[in-house]
Every structure is written in C-alpha cells, then in structure tokens.
Amino acid sequence: WRPQPAGRRWRRTLVMAASKPVEAAVVAAAAPGSGSGVGGGGAAAGPGTGGLPRWQLALAVGAPLLLGAGAMYLWSRQRRRREAGGRGDAGGLKRNSERKTPEGRASPAPGSGHPEDPGAHLEMNSLDRAQAAKNKGNKYFKAGKYEQAIHCYTEAISLCPTEKNVDLSTFYQNRAAAFEQLQKWKEVAQDCTKAVELNPKYVKALFRRAKAHEKLDNKKECLEDVTAVCILEGFQNQQSMLLADKVLKLLGKEKAKEKYKNREPLMPSPQFIKSYFSSFTDDIISQPMLKGEKSDEDKDKEGEVLEVKENSGYLKAKQYMEEENYDKIISECSKEIDAQGKYMAEALLLRATFYLLIGNANAAKPDLDKVISLKEANVKLRANALIKRGSMYMQQQQPLLSTQDFNMAADIDPQNADVYHHRGQLKILLDQVEEAVADFDECIRLRPESALAQAQKCFALYRQAYTGNNSSQIQAAMKGFEEVIKKFPRCAEGYALYAQALTDQQQFGKADEMYDKCIDLEPDNATTYVHKGLLQLQWKQDLDRGLELISKAIEIDSKCDFAYETMGTIEVQRGNMEKAIDMFNKAINLAKSEMEMAHLYSLCDAAHAQTEVAKKYGLKPPTL
C-alpha cells in the first residue's frame, strides 16, 4: 500500500491483492509514502483483472491472478496472437496442469526406426527395455511405491541409448517425480538438472527443479527456473505464476529488510511536502504562523525572511516550513521537545510528521504515541496524530489497528472533517465502499467546500458501480464527476480521478483532456505526466510519446520514484533489461517504506531473472 498526500495528489490505481490491501485512486494521505503519487491510468478494477487494460496490469502491484511482481511478466497483445497456434515444445503443459505424475512414452513406438540404419534393431531393443522399465516404474509410482519406482527409472536410465536425449530426459524427470514424493529435494534438483541438460526447454523438469530449489531455499535459482517456465508457457499457467510471485516477494522482503535498515533518510521534494500538508484542513501544525508569533518589524517585511519573536525551536521550525527549508525542521523540533517548551505537543507532532515524510516510521511512532496520550493537549493535535498513526498502521498492513485509531479520532473530535476524509480513504482501501461514502458525506457536511472529498466520493461510487457491473450507476457516477469539476474547476484531483474513470471506460480522448487540465493547474506535478504517458501507450500505443512524458516527469521531479518504476516496467516490456534494472534501482533508493522497497526489489529481481534466462536458454518473451 502506497500512501500519498491527499490534498493535491491522487494515487495509482492499484489492483487488490491479499498481501497488499490496495485499490482505489484515492490517496491515503496521512502516512506519507513516496513522491510517486497517483495511480495507474484507469479506475479500480472489479473482481479479478479482466477490467484493466494491459498497460495498467503491467504496472499493478499484486493482481489476484498475476500476483505482485508477476505483473512484470505481462507482455504486449502481440504475444497472444503469436501463440494462438499453440506450443510444440517437448514437455509442454496444459494450463494449470499439476505436473505431479510421471510421463509415458516420449519416443516413437517400437519398430519405427529407419531400416537403413544397421544398428536400428539393436538400438530399439535397448530402448524397448528402457521403456518397459519406465512403464513398470510408472505403475509403482501410481501405487505409491516410490522406492520401487525409483529403482525402475534408474534401470531405464541405464538401458537407454545415450543419444536418445528426449527419452533419457523423461526418465530422469520421472525419477525426480518419485524423489519429490519422498521429499528428497537435493536428488530432485539433480535429476531435473540432468533432464534439462538433455532437453533445455523441458517445462516439467524446469518447474519441478524450481519447486526443489524453493524447498532448498535457493530462491535465486528457483526464480530463474520458474521464469523460464512462465516464458515457455506463455504466462498461461497460474501454478507457475503463483510460484514466481511467491519467490519474488520473499526475495524482495529479504533485500528490502537489509537495505531499509541501512538507508539514508531522504526528504521528498518540496512539491510533495506541500501537497501532503494541504491534505489537512484541521491540522494546527500545517497552518501559517500566527501574527502574534512574528515580530512587529517582520510584519512589515512582506516577502523577506521572518524572525520569530519567541526563542522557540517549534516556532523556528514553523519559520523553516514557510521558507521550504525542510531539512532543518526535525532538529528545531527536537530543541523544543528537549527544553519541554510551550509548544512541546506541537513539536512532537511536527517532528513525527517529518519522520513519516522521510520514511522513518520507527522514529515517528513514539512521538505520535506521546501526543495521543497527552490529555491536556489540543484535541485537534491528538486527532491529527491518530489519523497519521492510523495511516502508518495501514501502510504496515495492520488494518485493525488502523481502524481503531481512526475511530478513536472520530470519538474525541467528531467535528473534525479530516478524520472522515482520511477514514473514508481507509474504507475504500479495505473494500468497504458504502462506509467510505458515508464518511465522505460527513466530511462534505462539515466542510462543503472540500472538493477532494466530493471527487473521492464520486470515485468510490464509480468503483462500487463498476464492481457490480451496474451501467446505470456507472453513468450516474460519471455525471457526478462532471458536476464536481464544474463546481470546483481549480481542483486538479477532480480532473485526475475523472480521467482514471474515463480511461477505464475507454474514453481515452476525454481522459487525455482531463490530464491536460491537471497539468495546467499543477505544472510541477510530475505524476500527472506519468499518467498521461501511460494513457498514450494504452490509447495510441505511442511508445515514444509515452516515454517522452515520463522522462518529463523525472525532469520535473528527480525524486519521483513512480516515474522511475514506470519507466523500468516499460523497458522490461521493450526487452531492455539493463535499463529497466537501472530504473528500478533508482526507485528503490527513493522508496519511503520497507514494503514499497520490497515491491521494487521484486520488479528488479524479475528483470534480473529474465536476463539470466535469456543467457542460459535463449528464451525471451515477445517485446513491444
């Protein structure tokens, strides 16, 4: 889950998966994530992935059928056309085949040798005996007598002429299947390796070896084997896709845990920070400095640097905020806290917020806990801390704790519009759309001028209608978007969310116009260019224009990890693995959470695996 600033930013549309409770194009604003911002070129999908165009799928995080980084294995429409005639590789499998049973005859029937070959008769006799031993082994296998089956397969291997590669590979693969039943994983891997050496595109052997490597905790080798299987099967077998996803996630988590622990904190771009704070209307720490906090002299120096009247670390931090000198804020807040000054509660909350912004949740939590426990503190400070802690919990995949914090915030400050706005976003992420709409309605009741809440309510209604395949409700939601952008023509998010719904409805021209409106209103919003670029790919298959727009996003904001991730995914589809890996590594260095970093490592590892498979087996998926 990638939380984003809600006030001026929309999230990527992400596909729901069990491991990542992500979905809507609304933002989860209170726990700042990364500067990548919004989402995926289209509105949220209904059940499964059928409603999403391929370019969205290629950028999704964790689709139900092509889980997680398995989306890296999505290719252009041409692939299906190329493979429409089927596959003829030895060892090929039908979709979702279990691959559990040993194989039958893999060679011509006895007597089919060439008569002009003087050794054909003798050779076929040897092969016949090998086949007979194998068939006997198959009977033992089906009876669950695996040791006897292994003995028969070993006999078949010893009898088989060495030049009969396909037959020999089958015998080794069958023996590996028997070893698998006995959970002798080392022997499984060894026999599958023999089979693959004899028949490099032997899907059953490659997949069985992948499973053995998984059991032996050889994740890299497992990934390479299952990647080869996915390519050979044209990404049509869900068993293979599930294993690929599983090992990619494990590798990603392992690498991210180590990397995140030693990462250097990185302040997001000023535009991201301003967008984040603008998502709150009842947040004391994000309000401009009060007149009483400035010296009389400074009140008359409009445009010049302000000097605070009191010797307060917190007020100095607020001054730095106005100057966009964000790197000094945490240290100034610490001075206020250490001195137990007048603004200690505010300083704790501001420091926690910037810890979240730089991706240091471990440092943020104690400060948030303390603000929440300060009964004498302003209730709006406590409610804001609860919103931010709740969003942090959601980022950490702890939805129950997240819900508890949002509910507590509503209890202690029931007139706080921010609570309902952000809880509404949480409810959408949890697929509780009706409750989300109710929260957005309450936010709108408290703050009728909240354009974002109204736009997000429209998106929630659209998503509900789309999921239920209710065309009349879809049209009503689209009409609602029109009313929002008419009422709030300066709200970029209204156009952005509408653009995602329009894209989903394949109204590409109008979606493009909406993104242009966003750019007019927010020319420094890098993620808008990414989404407009993705739209060009989906709409016109205009790769050059798409890449030009995404490159523009990076030019605008060099810390936009979403742009690097998107560029990397496109380069994978173009077959440019080295460039893709470079883009993913740049995104990894900008990740704001361990979970996001793990996802990016999964994408990077998928690209690495495809590079290795290309070297070893000459296998490459079709490219754009």
Side-chain angles (χ1 to χ4, degrees), residues 1 4-7 11 24 26-30 279 391 394 406 418-431 436 439-440 452-453 456:
W1 177 59
Q4 305 296 336
R11 290 186 56 234
V26 294
V27 284
S279 70
S391 296
M394 193 63 192
F406 279 105
D418 288 345
V419 175
Y420 304 102
H421 178 193
H422 295 298
R423 189 171 69 178
Q425 295 165 14
L426 168 71
K427 296 299 184 183
I428 286 189
L429 294 173
L430 295 176
D431 234 7
D439 273 341
F440 289 137
L452 181 59
Q456 290 179 338

Side-chain angles (χ1 to χ4, degrees), residues 546-563:
L547 290 173
E548 177 187 336
L549 286 162
I550 296 166
S551 297
K552 176 71 173 177
I554 293 172
E555 180 184 328
I556 290 170
D557 182 2
S558 62
K559 295 180 180 179
C560 182
D561 61 331
F562 178 39

Side-chain angles (χ1 to χ4, degrees), residues 455-466:
Q456 290 179 338
K457 176 187 172 182
C458 284
F459 187 84
L461 291 170
Y462 170 79
R463 181 186 174 281
Q464 186 179 45
Y466 184 87

